[in-house]
Amino acid sequence: MTANAEINESPLGPTESVTPSQSSQSSQSSQSSHVGERLDVSRETPASPHDGRESIEPGPQPDVSRGTESDAAPQLVDGEGPRESGDLADLDDDSTPLATAIALDVRRRSTLVGAPLPRPAATRVLTVANQKGGVGKTTSAVNIAAALAQSGMRVLVIDLDPQGNASTALGVDHRSGIDSIYDVVVDGVPMSSVVVESPSVTGLFCAPSTIDLAGAEIELVSLVAREGRLAKALEAHLADTAYDYVFIDCPPSLGLLTVNAFVAAREVFIPIQCEYYALEGLSQLLRNVELIKTHLNPRLEVSTILLTMFDGRTRLSAQVAEEVRAHFPAQTLRTTIPRSVRVSEAPSFGETVMTYDPLSSGALAYLEAASQIAHRDAGSTTEGADS
Ligand code: ADP
Ligand code: MG
């Protein structure tokens, strides 16, 4: 099997160098298109209609028909320890991937659900950014926000994408013309007049976006202090309203809206999809963060990286995860988010998966990710990464 050796030559393109210190091993990287071809043939098992299940042991896939979905996506690659006997005695058939996956989910449920999380000393503001679309920015922002709110935190999600997907997932109105983050950023309307509470989770608030925001990139250009307008509005809002966490869901670009988000935040949270070209563009994103840090917001740090849409049936997912962890050992969360039908269908009900199907593997993974974020301190997570 040569796939591992190949990925180490990196899916990063020839110009890509992804560590903040620019000291990555990617200097000998090859053309992305070649990597794409190589990775394609390294796929060991064909995609199956059952989503989210990992082939974690050699041997045949279990023949299981499930009417709903993917409750059985394990995270064994994330460093879960070996199974212990006793606590899961009823599930003593761990000879199949499915049995192992179910056993793992049972254990995760019992340790995660209802466990209290530490409250941050001061409000943590995280910008969820990646200029690639469809990598799980919105999904991660709303689900981690919901998980934290369900654990008793007060959480604000600022929807800064004109598509308004975060507003949809939180069940918040975002029809054109309503008071929204557009009015805040462009017209200087106070944020408190647009924030609403999500109907599905107590303590979870949303500053909705509307399609009007699509014009804001251009309108902002001529405005005074155009890069700091969101920061100023958020600062004023935080002065009279307490939150434990603020998540800013960015559009898939590095334009002025994303710059506003970087200036308003202390932490950058980057979701990375475990797919082809996952790391392409990452060095550009990191360069932008460095530029913002130098010129506009010296406290900004990439604190958190989350691997999303992990599919354990493919070597590709594991290879991307390995590559990301090699470059960002301190920032990358141990938990990966599995591909899950439940996660993707929740927004169509105006909900996050945390309320739509709280015991599904996707919800458990997001709860676990939220717990890891809560147990980290903004400053300490970045130490070592830049050295
Ligand atoms: P972004 O905000 O980066 O554009 P989204 O969060 O909107 O990305 O995700 C893109 C698409 O992928 C959406 O349709 C979403 O429902 C789906 N998706 C995201 N995460 C998962 C997951 N873990 N499993 C299955 N589908 C997912
Ligand atoms: Mg989005």
Side-chain angles (χ1 to χ4, degrees), residues 99-224:
T100 310
I102 292 171
L104 184 62
D105 265 6
V106 168
R107 185 189 301 167
R108 292 169 95 198
R109 268 171 212 160
S110 64
T111 54
L112 284 167
V113 176
L117 296 181
R119 202 176 282 279
T123 309
R124 284 177 66 183
V125 183
L126 296 94
T127 280
V128 185
N130 188 331
Q131 74 273 34
K132 274 170 131 44
V135 300
K137 287 184 291 297
T138 303
T139 307
S140 300
V142 298
N143 285 302
I144 289 175
L148 291 167
Q150 285 176 327
S151 306
M153 313 281 166
R154 260 178 81 89
V155 186
L156 172 64
V157 174
I158 298 177
D159 189 350
L160 210 57
D161 185 345
Q163 302 301 321
N165 296 152
S167 311
T168 302
L170 297 176
V172 169
D173 189 9
H174 64 101
R175 283 166 301 168
S176 178
I178 66 157
D179 285 348
S180 71
I181 199 70
Y182 169 87
D183 304 280
V184 173
V185 172
V186 175
D187 291 334
V189 166
M191 195 176 283
S192 50
S193 65
V194 309
V195 168
V196 287
E197 188 164 12
S198 170
S200 48
V201 182
T202 308
L204 178 55
F205 298 82
C206 176
S209 128
T210 64
I211 195 67
D212 305 325
L213 196 60
E217 294 270 8
I218 294 167
E219 291 173 62
L220 277 170
V221 172
S222 59
L223 296 181
V224 178

